[in-house]
Amino acid sequence: MKTKTTLTTFAAIALLAQMPAATLSQNNFTSNAPEAAACFSQFSMPQNLGTGVNSASSEQHPVISPNGLSLYFTSDRPGGQGALDIYVSQRPTLTSAWDAAQNLGATVNSASNDAAGSISPDGREMFIISNRPGGSGAGDIWVMTRTDPNNDFGWSAPVNLGSVVNTTFFEQNPNYFVDPATGAGTLFFTSDRSSGTANVKDVFQSTRNADGTFNPPTIVNELNSAADEARTAISRDGLEIFIGSNRLGTAFAIFVSTRASVSAPWNPPVSVGGLNAGGGAAQPSLSSDGTVLYFTSNRPGGFGDTDLYSAVRVSVNRSSTADFDGDGRTDISVFRPSDGTWYVMQSGSNTFRAQPFGTDGDRIVPGDYDGDGRTDFAVFRNGVWYALRSSDSSVLTVQWGLATDKPVPGDYDGDGRTDIAVYRDGTWYIVQSSNGQFATHQFGASSDIPVVGVQ
């Protein structure tokens, strides 16, 4: 096995005498801390939505339908009605790949720029952005309706929301929320009206009346900064909101804020861990159940200028077993001892991967050792652990245990990373990834089979 190992001193070596007949080598058992506090949940590694959605052109402004089977977005690909048009891609089930995108046609799109914004929870209204003739300023918010919430091509012609919401400035990024307790609607959007400076936008909200009209917007100060706030995505219960912003620099990133109730102020937004690295992230859109976040990014590996991606919300302590692509679902996979190769059918992209790592006689110990939301290829050989870190492709090498020990990897300290551990004669010997400390637990008899053990 070829390895590329970075060596550092391991803190638990001082406690080695407590573990009979075992030795511990230096290793690189470190990883970066999450960008956000654990209370804001973690997301799986972002997955490109594939060629059914993305193209060599720019794809932006994802909008997922309430049933999760239709994805609306904006693109400047050839063949549209104008510079930017709204498209839709469909899929038959929530786990299916997205079909080839279709233009919504001349009823929805115009010769001007048209961009997707938000769909109402009942699926009967879509708020969009357009600078077509008939508006108030550089860009306005419009709404279109349909009688059948499942007909992606049954939308009416867009209607301007009027001068109560729109101004001579740039209004965009509509995000419509309906309070599930009262049925009251609120439209969140961004505008540069407060600063009078182009492209420096703040978040505003406008409440809706029973007759469907909107009230004069008010600024949402707690969500804004001195930088540009862009698109928002609010959870179904109204207690969590995601924001695209460049408040940390020139690149856009996704932040999240929470509040105690729909009438309470928002808490200070924090960066969403795992989404913003490798090319930034912007324009969030949240699935109706709050488990999948869609966004745009120009990170490496895409098909065009900007592509659409998704990330699945995962629990720190309940990540899927053998999730090598980090989409929150277990991948179909086998390890073939004869050639030391892992064969994986990745659920996120339905692509096949063959990864040589190990040899005949190794015991496989897959786990997320670097905490990036993806399962690492790993083997236990004669008391030595080898793990191919998915975050940077380096190899973690740790001598921990005897060849006769039972390897029992697991997240024993709850930090979202797999700990190296062995079970021997009723004693558990664990290396805690959160602090590098060595822990022992007497639990079980020598003949017992540890539940998490790899037999």
Side-chain angles (χ1 to χ4, degrees):
M1 181 189 330
K2 295 181 180 180
T3 63
K4 170 190 169 187
T5 307
T6 304
L7 301 180
T8 60
T9 302
F10 194 64
I13 196 168
L15 299 175
L16 184 59
Q18 301 178 32
M19 184 176 181
T23 58
L24 181 65
S25 70
Q26 292 179 316
N27 61 86
N28 68 337
F29 198 73
T30 59
S31 70
N32 295 327
E35 297 175 41
C39 61
F40 290 108
S41 303
Q42 288 188 357
F43 284 86
S44 66
M45 290 297 295
Q47 301 291 314
N48 190 291
L49 295 188
T51 55
V53 171
N54 295 310
S55 70
S57 299
S58 176
E59 279 69 50
Q60 309 173 47
H61 297 277
V63 177
I64 188 67
S65 64
N67 64 10
L69 302 181
S70 299
L71 181 72
Y72 296 86
F73 62 92
T74 307
S75 179
D76 61 356
R77 64 185 65 185
Q81 307 291 324
L84 290 174
D85 273 14
I86 302 174
Y87 291 77
V88 65
S89 179
Q90 301 166 319
R91 59 182 178 182
T93 70
L94 294 178
T95 58
S96 301
W98 292 103
D99 294 334
Q102 302 178 67
N103 191 292
L104 289 190
T107 301
V108 170
N109 294 308
S110 69
S112 302
N113 289 321
D114 304 291
S118 175
I119 297 179
S120 61
D122 64 6
R124 298 180 186 275
E125 290 182 307
M126 182 189 291
F127 297 86
I128 69 170
I129 315 103
S130 181
N131 63 351
R132 66 182 65 196
S136 301
D140 277 13
I141 298 174
W142 305 63
V143 64
M144 51 192 192
T145 60
R146 61 182 177 182
T147 56
D148 181 356
N150 297 312
N151 183 1
D152 291 324
F153 300 94
W155 294 106
S156 68
V159 176
N160 192 285
L161 289 191
S163 58
V164 173
V165 172
N166 295 310
T167 68
T168 56
F169 292 95
F170 201 156
E171 280 71 46
Q172 62 182 53
N173 301 312
N175 174 22
Y176 188 59
F177 165 69
V178 175
D179 187 340
T182 65
T186 302
L187 183 69
F188 293 85
F189 65 95
T190 62
S191 174
D192 55 4
R193 65 179 74 185
S194 60
S195 64
T197 304
N199 297 322
V200 179
K201 301 178 181 64
D202 288 326
V203 178
F204 289 79
Q205 67 179 27
S206 173
T207 55
R208 198 172 196 178
N209 299 308
D211 62 0
T213 59
F214 287 89
N215 294 308
T218 58
I219 193 168
V220 188
N221 286 315
E222 58 266 32
L223 298 180
N224 296 313
S225 70
D228 188 17
E229 316 309 328
R231 195 176 189 199
T232 62
I234 192 168
S235 61
R236 197 71 175 262
D237 61 8
L239 304 183
E240 183 181 47
I241 192 167
F242 294 86
I243 312 165
S245 176
N246 62 353
R247 63 183 65 191
L248 295 183
T250 56
F252 272 85
I254 295 177
F255 296 77
V256 64
S257 174
T258 60
R259 59 184 178 182
S261 69
V262 294
S263 60
W266 293 100
N267 294 312
V270 298
S271 177
V272 180
L275 297 186
N276 298 319
Q283 301 173 357
S285 177
L286 191 64
S287 64
S288 61
D289 63 1
T291 62
V292 184
L293 191 70
Y294 298 84
F295 62 95
T296 184
S297 176
N298 62 355
R299 63 191 61 205
F303 297 97
D305 181 17
T306 56
D307 277 10
L308 299 186
Y309 291 78
S310 67
V312 179
R313 197 191 300 265
V314 295
S315 168
V316 172
N317 298 312
R318 297 181 183 176
S319 57
S320 297
T321 304
D323 180 15
F324 295 94
D325 56 5
D327 70 341
R329 292 176 286 173
T330 296
D331 302 319
I332 296 174
S333 57
V334 297
F335 174 74
R336 187 168 297 167
S338 61
D339 60 8
T341 300
W342 303 66
Y343 297 94
V344 180
M345 181 60 68
Q346 299 181 143
S347 57
S349 58
N350 291 323
T351 58
F352 168 76
R353 177 181 180 184
Q355 177 65 57
F357 194 79
T359 187
D360 195 5
D362 288 345
R363 305 172 77 174
I364 62 170
V365 286
D368 185 9
Y369 294 92
D370 51 7
D372 69 347
R374 291 176 290 182
T375 299
D376 304 319
F377 301 100
V379 296
F380 178 75
R381 179 190 305 162
N382 297 325
V384 181
W385 298 67
Y386 302 93
L388 178 60
R389 292 160 49 109
S390 54
S391 58
D392 59 11
S393 297
S394 67
V395 175
L396 166 72
T397 303
V398 179
Q399 185 175 345
W400 188 253
L402 300 174
T404 54
D405 288 341
K406 294 181 175 68
V408 285
D411 183 12
Y412 297 96
D413 52 8
D415 69 345
R417 290 176 287 176
T418 299
D419 303 321
I420 288 174
V422 296
Y423 179 81
R424 180 192 308 165
D425 298 330
T427 301
W428 302 67
Y429 300 92
I430 302 170
V431 179
Q432 299 176 133
S433 57
S434 59
N435 55 22
Q437 298 300 308
F438 162 52
T440 61
H441 298 278
Q442 182 68 44
F443 192 81
S446 59
S447 59
D448 288 345
I449 299 174
V451 173
V452 298
V454 179
Q455 307 304 316

